[in-house]
């Protein structure tokens, strides 16, 4: 199973699904439909099953996909689709670096690793593979307008994706016989090549009609977790006072620390990492590493959010409190909220609440020797219901 690239075709208009935007951009289980294919790709890459993933997208939308995919560790390429599906697939194949390819429809968000493995294990240099399901419903065929007759279902199968092929041979088949083909397997057969099959997966449904979104949502369940963050930094001369990503140039003291020392951002980072189960900032960005010396804590927050997002988590709400004697913070709270939110993914924004409390002249904070910050972050993740996962084993 070495040398595979995954090509996800998500360049269509999806008009049958209704809605104000193409179906690949609509939300399902808290994510855009196409993002579930990215999560599948990330999982396949983590297990060494694929080496690279190519997304074929509507022309002009490459930056949108690129920004989203930057949160993932799998090597991704993004290329524009063409006028027809065949053109789009060819564009994706030409960006693929593997000797073999899995071609997957981005409108199939429920494809699993087991199905991908079945396809990949059966592909050879001379034989392509498609997953099939036998037709189980009674069929009727319209012989004339409004006149239907029974049609035998024996020997009829539904075709799914991903479909697996040797890349170069598939490119040649699509160039010579791909026009008008409904899928890659059809072009492959037209070109005279051997096509094998593996068992498909009943749960690997395609989002085609408006009601498919309703049925799809019922297959997900949401998990909530809360993380807490805490940080304290001493105030010393000769350092800048940067709190919540906002500088206070008129204040004579600043935070001692390896980075810019921003305790509010550090507390929020730890709350997000705690909620997503990804460690803490001291472990991920150690003071022993000189590349983090003097770094803006907002850069760390952006990376923390990217890590949590790629693990499937989304911020629902963050409640933060900063305890400081000086300077007065009330007039700058919204500036701090805006600065921190700009470091987060767009769908995480407008979910931070920040409060400021005085040290009341007590202890190190009250003596203006330090600032203390706390944060609590609630995160959510959508996944298939357990009974659905059990069916795939």
């Amino acid at each position: 199973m070495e040398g595979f690239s995954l090509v996800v075709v998500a360049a269509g208009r999806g008009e049958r699904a209704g809605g104000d935007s193409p179906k690949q951009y609509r939300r399902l289980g808290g994510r855009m439909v196409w993002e579930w294919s990215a999560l599948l790709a990330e999982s396949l890459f983590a297990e060494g099953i694929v080496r690279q993933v190519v997304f074929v997208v509507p022309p002009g939308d490459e930056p949108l996909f690129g920004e989203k995919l930057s949160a993932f560790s799998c090597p991704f390429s993004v290329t524009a689709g063409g006028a027809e599906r065949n053109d789009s697939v060819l564009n994706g194949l030409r960006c693929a670096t593997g000797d073999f390819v899995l071609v997957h429809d981005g409108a199939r968000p429920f494809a699993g690793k087991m199905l991908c493995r079945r396809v990949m294990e059966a592909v050879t240099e001379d034989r392509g593979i498609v997953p099939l399901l036998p037709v189980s419903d009674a069929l009727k065929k319209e012989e004339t307008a409004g006149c239907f007759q029974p049609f035998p279902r024996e020997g009829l199968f539904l075709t799914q994706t991903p479909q697996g092929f040797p890349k170069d041979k598939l490119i040649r088949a699509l160039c010579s016989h791909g026009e008008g083909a409904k899928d890659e397997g059809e072009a492959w057969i037209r070109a005279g090549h051997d096509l094998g099959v593996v068992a498909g997966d009943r749960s690997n449904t395609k989002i085609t009609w408006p009601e498919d979104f309703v049925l799809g949502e019922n297959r997900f369940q949401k998990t909530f977790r809360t993380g807490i963050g805490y940080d304290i930094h001493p105030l010393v001369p000769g350092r800048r006072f940067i709190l919540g990503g906002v500088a206070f140039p008129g204040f004579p003291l600043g935070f001692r620390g390896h980075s810019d020392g921003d305790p509010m951002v550090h507390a929020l980072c730890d709350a997000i990492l705690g909620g997503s189960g990804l460690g803490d900032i001291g472990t991920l960005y150690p003071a022993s590493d000189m590349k983090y010396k003097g770094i803006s804590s907002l850069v760390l927050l952006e990376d923390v959010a990217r890590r949590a997002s790629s693990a499937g988590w989304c911020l629902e709400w963050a409640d933060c409190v900063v305890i400081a004697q000086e300077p007065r913070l009330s007039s700058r709270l919204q500036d701090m909220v805006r600065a921190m939110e700009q470091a987060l993914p767009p769908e995480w924004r407008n979910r931070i609440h920040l409060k400021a409390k005085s040290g009341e002249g007590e202890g190190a904070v009250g003596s203006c020797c330090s600032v203390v910050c706390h944060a609590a972050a609630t995160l959510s993740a959508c996944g298939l219901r357990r009974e659905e996962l059990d069916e795939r084993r």
Side-chain angles (χ1 to χ4, degrees):
M1 294 193 299
E2 296 179 357
F4 270 89
S5 292
L6 174 65
V7 176
V8 180
V9 185
R13 294 183 294 272
E15 295 171 345
R16 291 177 295 178
D20 297 329
S21 61
K23 62 185 176 184
Q24 63 266 41
Y25 298 118
R26 292 177 59 184
R27 295 274 169 177
L28 181 68
R31 291 181 175 272
M32 292 183 188
V33 169
W34 70 265
E35 288 184 90
W36 291 105
S37 295
L39 287 176
L40 172 64
E42 185 86 333
S43 179
L44 294 172
F45 176 75
E47 295 187 12
I49 299 174
V50 300
R51 59 187 291 178
Q52 174 224 15
V53 180
V54 179
F55 268 87
V56 187
V57 308
D61 286 357
E62 296 94 331
L64 182 152
F65 279 77
E67 179 184 355
K68 285 278 191 180
L69 293 171
S70 67
F72 295 84
S73 59
C74 178
F76 284 93
S77 297
V78 179
T79 189
E84 302 294 337
R85 177 188 170 84
N86 186 61
D87 304 314
S88 295
V89 175
L90 279 170
N91 288 352
L93 293 175
R94 288 169 179 142
C95 293
T97 58
D99 295 327
F100 295 86
V101 290
L102 287 177
V103 181
H104 184 50
D105 192 330
R108 289 186 182 269
F110 301 109
K113 289 188 292 185
M114 289 180 61
L115 177 59
C116 294
R117 288 194 191 97
R118 285 202 295 274
V119 173
M120 296 166 77
E121 288 168 356
V123 173
T124 70
E125 297 212 359
D126 298 313
R127 185 173 71 161
I129 297 294
V130 299
L132 298 182
L133 288 174
V135 173
S136 57
D137 295 325
L139 299 178
K140 304 292 184 292
K141 182 179 180 181
E142 190 174 22
E143 298 289 351
T144 58
C147 181
F148 294 85
Q149 295 294 326
F151 192 85
R153 68 188 177 198
E154 287 73 25
L156 295 182
F157 295 84
L158 303 175
T159 310
Q160 297 185 322
T161 68
Q163 301 180 8
F165 304 91
K167 182 186 69 177
D168 291 341
K169 188 171 285 190
L170 178 60
I171 290 176
R172 292 193 293 270
L174 291 174
C175 287
S176 61
H177 294 84
E179 186 176 354
K182 297 296 188 294
D183 70 349
E184 291 63 58
E186 182 177 342
W188 184 261
I189 292 172
R190 287 180 183 175
H193 301 311
D194 181 28
L195 184 69
V197 303
V198 297
D201 185 345
R202 292 279 176 195
S203 65
N204 181 26
T205 54
K206 184 179 179 181
I207 302 298
T208 303
W209 308 104
E211 56 268 27
D212 291 336
F213 282 93
V214 178
L215 295 172
E217 286 291 348
N218 292 334
R219 298 172 63 176
F220 287 98
Q221 63 182 2
K222 208 172 221 186
T223 298
F224 293 91
R225 293 207 304 227
T226 298
I228 58 173
Y230 164 85
D231 200 23
I232 179 172
H233 275 282
L235 288 168
V236 295
R239 293 275 292 184
R240 293 192 301 161
F241 189 98
I242 300 176
L243 189 65
V246 174
F248 290 71
F251 193 65
L253 303 175
F255 295 113
R256 188 173 68 201
H258 186 63
S259 63
D260 61 10
D262 188 332
M264 185 67 266
V265 174
H266 292 177
L268 180 57
C269 285
D270 266 346
I272 293 171
L273 290 169
S276 54
L278 295 175
D280 64 89
I281 58 172
T283 302
L284 296 176
Y285 317 105
S288 58
D289 193 331
M290 293 306 295
K291 72 180 179 182
Y292 300 119
K293 184 172 177 60
I295 194 171
S296 168
S297 294
L298 293 177
V299 174
L300 304 184
L301 178 59
E302 183 177 12
D303 189 61
V304 163
R306 184 182 298 113
R307 290 170 185 260
S309 179
S310 67
W313 295 96
C314 179
L315 180 69
E316 295 286 342
W317 191 252
D319 190 29
C320 310
V321 59
V322 51
I323 308 170
Q325 189 68 31
E326 294 288 345
R328 298 299 180 185
L329 303 173
S330 57
S331 64
R332 304 298 303 278
L333 292 179
Q334 288 308 306
D335 293 336
M336 288 187 267
V337 169
R338 281 191 290 270
M340 291 188 288
E341 286 184 339
Q342 285 302 307
L344 301 178
E347 63 271 21
W348 285 27
R349 294 172 188 171
N350 300 314
R351 300 180 184 186
I352 295 178
H353 183 245
L354 177 59
K355 309 180 291 290
K357 301 292 182 182
S358 168
E360 302 294 348
E362 296 292 329
V365 174
S367 301
C368 212
C369 294
S370 62
V371 170
V372 170
C373 295
H374 299 267
T378 299
L379 292 91
S380 66
C382 277
L384 289 175
R385 296 183 182 275
R386 183 169 298 277
E387 56 268 26
E388 293 231 5
L389 292 173
D390 290 341
E391 289 178 2
R392 295 187 176 201
R393 292 175 181 165

